[in-house]
Amino acid sequence: MRTPIIAGNWKLNKTISEAVTLTTALKALIADDTDVGVIVAPPFTALSAVSDAIAGSNIHLAAQDVYWEDSGAFTGEISAPMLKDAGCDYVIIGHSERRQYFGETNDSVNQKVKAALAYNLKPIICVGEQLEEREVGQTEAVIESHITGGVAGLSAADLSSCVIAYEPVWAIGTGKTATPAQAQEVHNFIRGLLTKAYSAEVASQICIQYGGSVKPENAAELMAQPDVDGALVGGASLEAESFAKIVLSFNHQLDSVINVKARVDG
Ligand code: 13P
């Protein structure tokens, strides 16, 4: 069974002290929830302080981007060994906002994924179509190019360290969530692509998160879909209570799945 992973992408929000306050509050709220993976992704400036704040807890740290060179004359960039040094276990790569505003391409995503893996950072590779692409029936073609471009050249072992996040661009920050059925359809398509490129066994182990206006009110029904293995949360991750409620709803869902399974088996 895949362990769901709920990640909070804080984007361009939170000073260092605000980040520590949020982390401390979150830690208290989800201290006992160890059945799901929990990740927070603060801005670069707060990584080190949040790393100290999560010490000894079940929360993991992610960065929001990485550059593929280790060091050198690349003003403004941050490398994988630097993120590792700051306490990161994960790094978000290819978020649609980076594709839209900062020229991220499938090739740069692929280089970043490889650089992250070389330093034991687990990439959270983001894929997703824009509204116009969905409306003209290009969703699958776009997702296929993001997936095949992003994981090009990765071995099965490399892929098993990756998380995929499906974030339809039209659902990000708009309050317009994909329906559970729309999310399931694309998640299943992604798992099919990975089955073709690797194997059914490898594909069945990959965590595929959904992102785009995930809230406490809709998290459980998304999680109930067989191929939705967690969430990448933006706005609702900026407050401890709403993010904790999302984590808890995944956890409870998991409890009831386990209970049902125990009843069926027993
Ligand atoms: P929202 O949850 O604010 O829609 O953002 C989703 C997202 O982009 C997470 O990476």
Side-chain angles (χ1 to χ4, degrees):
M1 196 177 185
R2 296 180 292 270
T3 302
I5 300 177
I6 321 299
N9 175 9
W10 297 359
K11 307 190 180 182
L12 180 55
N13 294 289
K14 305 291 176 189
T15 62
I16 296 173
S17 66
E18 288 167 349
V20 171
T21 302
L22 172 55
T23 307
T24 308
L26 192 59
K27 230 166 70 162
L29 290 173
I30 60 161
D32 300 329
D33 293 288
T34 49
D35 289 339
V36 297
V38 181
I39 301 173
V40 292
F44 289 130
T45 46
L47 285 175
S48 191
V50 171
S51 172
D52 290 344
I54 59 176
S57 80
N58 51 342
I59 303 173
H60 294 269
L61 188 65
Q64 298 175 18
D65 191 21
V66 64
Y67 191 56
W68 55 81
E69 295 288 349
D70 287 357
S71 62
F74 303 101
T75 302
E77 295 296 331
I78 305 276
S79 70
M82 290 171 175
L83 295 181
K84 203 68 196 170
D85 184 48
C88 293
D89 292 323
Y90 292 85
V91 56
I92 297 169
I93 298 175
H95 192 279
S96 65
E97 285 147 18
R98 299 223 56 90
R99 293 181 193 257
Q100 243 178 316
Y101 308 134
F102 303 103
E104 193 83 86
T105 63
N106 289 333
D107 278 349
S108 62
V109 168
N110 186 243
Q111 290 194 73
K112 291 176 176 189
V113 167
K114 287 174 177 162
L117 288 167
Y119 285 90
N120 284 325
L121 279 169
K122 297 188 171 99
I124 300 175
I125 305 170
C126 301
V127 304
E129 82 286 0
Q130 301 189 21
L131 183 59
E132 310 80 71
E133 294 166 334
R134 175 166 280 265
E135 284 174 347
V136 296
Q138 284 180 350
T139 299
E140 292 193 347
V142 171
I143 300 297
E144 180 161 9
S145 86
H146 287 177
I147 291 284
T148 52
V151 307
L154 298 198
S155 67
D158 285 340
L159 185 76
S160 68
S161 296
C162 297
V163 171
I164 307 289
Y166 168 56
E167 299 202 300
V169 179
W170 48 271
I172 294 178
T174 57
K176 199 174 168 191
T177 322
T179 63
Q182 282 173 322
Q184 169 58 23
E185 191 180 14
V186 178
H187 283 230
N188 181 257
F189 176 71
I190 293 171
R191 214 176 294 285
L193 290 174
L194 297 175
T195 300
K196 259 188 266 166
Y198 293 87
S199 69
E201 197 195 343
V202 169
S204 72
Q205 289 161 4
I206 302 297
C207 171
I208 307 177
Q209 299 176 312
Y210 169 80
S213 298
V214 175
K215 305 269 180 292
E217 299 75 37
N218 59 25
E221 58 175 2
L222 286 161
M223 168 64 192
Q225 300 301 309
D227 287 296
V228 177
D229 309 317
L232 183 53
V233 186
S237 71
L238 296 175
E239 287 187 0
E241 275 201 9
S242 53
F243 189 60
K245 277 187 190 157
I246 294 170
V247 172
L248 291 173
S249 66
F250 273 68
N251 220 35
H252 291 159
Q253 186 84 24
L254 200 67
D255 283 349
S256 58
V257 169
I258 289 166
N259 289 339
V260 168
K261 191 172 182 319
R263 276 205 302 277
V264 171
D265 290 347

